[in-house]
Amino acid sequence: MKLPIPENLTALARRCAFPLYLVGGSVRDFLAGFAPNGNTDWDICAPATETEFVAAAEACGFTVKSVYRNTGTVKLCDRDGADYEFTRFRSDKYVRGLHAPSEIEFTSDMEKDARRRDFRANAVYCEIRTGKLYDPLGGREDVANKLLRTVAPAAKVFGEDGLRLMRLARFAAETGFRPDGECFEGARTHRALVNDVTPERIFAELSAILLADRKHGDAEAPYRGLTVLKETGVLGEILPELAKGDGLSQRADFHDYDVLEHSLRCVKYAPPEIRFAALLHDVGKPFCFARDGNFYAHAEEGARIAEEILTRLKAPAKLAAETAALVRLHMRDFDLRMRESRVRREIAENAVLLPKLLALKQADFSACKDDPNRSPTVAKWETILAQMKREGAPLSLSELAVNGKDFFGRLPPSEIGGALNEFFRFCIQDGARNKRKKLLARIERLYPEET
């Protein structure tokens, strides 16, 4: 069975006057039996110059996006917008811990090229024209055994490039492969080198881990990747506030797991769009426990800490703000003691975030004891929300039956916003009140026109 190579790559290989190879994830995943999908990484390489490659690629209709002559790298896309990356065969030398190689030697030797890579499973080559596989380092055996082993002694591989510590967790997440003992030990020993990696790259890799189930549809993938980060100690380097929850016990009647394990499991039960919130929802607990000896106010402190973490990682500001808001709100009515009138206010005031908030509440509940049943808080809130919708209660000011113009001539402009909010709160409690004639009469009664 041959690797399903896109026709445009086959045409490009025929155009080239040199052998063109696929390497990395596309070959590894094919050998592992993963079905082809739109998430395939097309990494190509050859013992040829970037200039030679660019000429052939452009002749085949590819668009060259950028050329990095110092590393022999070309980024390009096809007519459908799919991305590809070409790299010239080379051998790299590193200054300890820095991601970029300090010295590059171009070569025609495939084994030298393979030795500069990270894991043997990623160092199997497929010659595109013939479909023939080349395996200079024994990567096919690792794929068959679902192993991640480094291409050289693990201490050297991780000591050269701190980003490989994150990539180890991501590949373990996406493939289900298990790092071998030497790989784990090398990563643990050199875990601090992840601090030499730019925050943007750490955020990108962490995001990929949290969304690793999209790669091959394995629901366990994000949790698996996070567990590797924990076991190697890398989690404690990139998210020390979260890692402090390791071993921090919780009430046994509510929780089967300590704070950190509960947080990692919360990601398992969370939909993709809230996984940062799921990961960080209890990040305030270690802080509160160290300060007060209990977890009171952990949601509020956690919101602050979560926003600080995501800001430090250079995450998009919108994600940081939304995650902080969800963390702040995730404990609302956890004990089911909140009155319906208050729940109505909470629902209306947080209507934009409500679907994500309910999803986080459900994930938090399920992660306590691996319970797939409906969260009682979510069930209660959804029942009240359905009733509000049946009544026609407004969930935003735009759904209120009156607007600011209805107050003109009755209130100074500076007071109209406050009056609208008061009417909004009035109608939240009973949707039957949200009728234009009734509200206009209320306006006239409360704010008669000046004569």
Side-chain angles (χ1 to χ4, degrees):
M1 183 177 175
K2 290 179 63 175
L3 194 155
I5 300 170
E7 177 55 37
N8 55 5
L9 274 186
T10 302
L12 174 57
R14 287 196 296 263
R15 166 78 64 166
C16 292
F18 45 84
L20 190 65
Y21 302 90
L22 280 168
V23 69
S26 62
V27 183
R28 177 200 67 217
D29 291 353
F30 165 73
L31 293 173
F34 293 120
N37 57 47
N39 296 317
T40 300
D41 297 319
W42 297 110
D43 294 320
I44 49 183
C45 58
T49 69
E50 60 278 5
T51 302
E52 293 170 314
F53 174 77
V54 164
E58 290 181 333
C60 287
F62 286 84
T63 298
V64 173
K65 298 164 72 173
S66 53
V67 178
Y68 303 91
R69 298 193 183 280
N70 60 324
T71 60
T73 301
V74 179
K75 293 182 183 293
L76 64 160
C77 64
D78 62 20
R79 291 186 178 92
D80 296 325
D83 290 322
Y84 303 81
E85 183 170 303
F86 166 85
T87 308
R88 185 176 174 182
F89 276 13
R90 68 177 202 245
S91 177
D92 298 339
K93 291 184 179 179
Y94 287 83
V95 172
R96 180 179 172 84
L98 298 183
H99 174 56
S102 61
E103 218 177 296
I104 292 173
E105 175 192 345
F106 295 114
T107 181
S108 59
D109 187 334
M110 180 183 287
E111 183 171 344
K112 281 188 175 181
D113 186 73
R115 291 285 180 192
R116 77 172 179 83
R117 299 180 182 276
D118 43 25
F119 306 104
R120 299 183 194 191
N122 292 339
V124 181
Y125 298 71
C126 176
E127 207 277 298
I128 295 174
R129 272 183 295 197
T130 65
K132 183 178 179 180
L133 294 171
Y134 295 84
D135 184 14
L137 303 180
R140 295 184 70 176
E141 181 183 355
D142 285 5
V143 173
N145 293 324
K146 298 187 181 300
L147 273 179
L148 287 172
R149 294 190 299 161
T150 51
V151 296
K156 177 180 184 295
V157 170
F158 293 116
E160 288 177 342
D161 183 0
L163 186 63
R164 289 170 175 164
L165 296 159
M166 297 296 299
R167 287 165 61 85
L168 172 66
R170 174 163 64 85
F171 292 143
E174 292 175 346
T175 64
F177 293 7
R178 180 72 177 170
D180 73 346
E182 183 192 350
C183 196
F184 262 122
E185 189 57 35
R188 288 189 196 102
T189 300
H190 296 284
R191 62 186 181 274
L193 293 182
V194 76
N195 294 301
D196 295 328
V197 180
T198 64
E200 293 89 346
R201 295 300 297 270
I202 292 174
F203 174 75
E205 289 292 334
L206 182 58
S207 297
I209 291 167
L210 292 177
L211 299 175
D213 54 323
R214 290 180 170 177
K215 191 74 173 178
H216 300 300
D218 182 353
E220 292 287 318
Y223 173 75
R224 185 165 53 239
L226 292 169
T227 300
V228 170
L229 288 180
K230 172 187 170 183
E231 290 176 346
T232 57
V234 175
L235 189 69
E237 299 294 331
I238 62 173
L239 299 175
E241 304 94 334
L242 180 69
K244 288 176 182 175
D246 192 14
L248 187 56
S249 61
Q250 307 187 83
R251 283 181 53 175
D253 51 341
F254 286 124
H255 291 274
D256 283 350
Y257 307 104
D258 65 31
V259 172
L260 178 57
E261 181 63 18
H262 168 74
S263 298
L264 304 190
R265 287 177 177 272
C266 190
V267 173
K268 285 179 62 171
Y269 295 102
E273 62 271 16
I274 63 159
R275 287 192 179 145
F276 271 103
L279 181 64
L280 299 175
H281 77 285
D282 276 349
V283 74
K285 282 186 174 179
F287 173 85
C288 289
F289 191 82
R291 182 187 65 185
D292 306 320
N294 56 58
F295 297 147
Y296 296 137
H298 79 269
E300 292 74 20
E301 294 292 356
R304 173 184 61 79
I305 296 168
E307 189 158 25
E308 289 174 356
I309 287 171
L310 290 173
T311 300
R312 182 175 77 226
L313 293 179
K314 309 294 177 131
K318 182 178 178 181
L319 174 65
E322 180 179 276
T323 299
L326 290 170
V327 172
R328 183 178 298 108
L329 295 167
H330 83 276
M331 288 294 288
R332 299 293 169 87
D333 200 25
F334 78 98
D335 57 3
L336 301 174
R337 294 180 181 178
M338 191 177 283
R339 293 181 179 179
E340 181 178 337
S341 59
R342 175 69 184 278
V343 174
R344 284 174 172 256
R345 286 202 307 275
E346 293 283 350
I347 287 174
E349 290 171 4
N350 300 292
V352 173
L353 279 179
L354 191 63
K356 293 180 179 179
L357 177 59
L358 294 180
L360 179 58
K361 284 178 170 290
Q362 180 62 51
D364 187 13
F365 172 82
S366 294
C368 290
K369 290 181 173 289
D370 292 315
D371 187 348
N373 292 305
R374 202 69 174 145
S375 156
T377 302
V378 171
K380 172 184 171 182
W381 282 41
E382 287 184 335
T383 298
I384 294 172
L385 174 62
Q387 179 61 30
M388 292 173 71
K389 288 181 175 179
R390 284 194 296 269
E391 294 172 359
L395 295 179
S396 66
L397 282 175
S398 65
E399 295 180 8
L400 193 62
V402 293
N403 57 50
K405 294 179 181 178
D406 297 311
F407 291 85
F408 285 178
R410 297 175 182 275
L411 284 173
S414 61
E415 297 179 16
I416 290 176
L420 272 173
N421 282 316
E422 181 58 39
F423 271 58
F424 179 56
R425 289 189 289 270
F426 175 71
C427 292
I428 286 168
Q429 299 306 324
D430 184 354
R433 298 170 179 172
N434 191 31
K435 301 292 186 286
R436 184 164 174 78
K437 285 182 66 175
K438 290 182 179 180
L439 294 182
L440 288 175
R442 182 176 174 84
I443 290 173
E444 188 171 344
R445 184 171 68 255
L446 294 177
Y447 309 111
E449 287 186 311
E450 296 179 1
T451 56

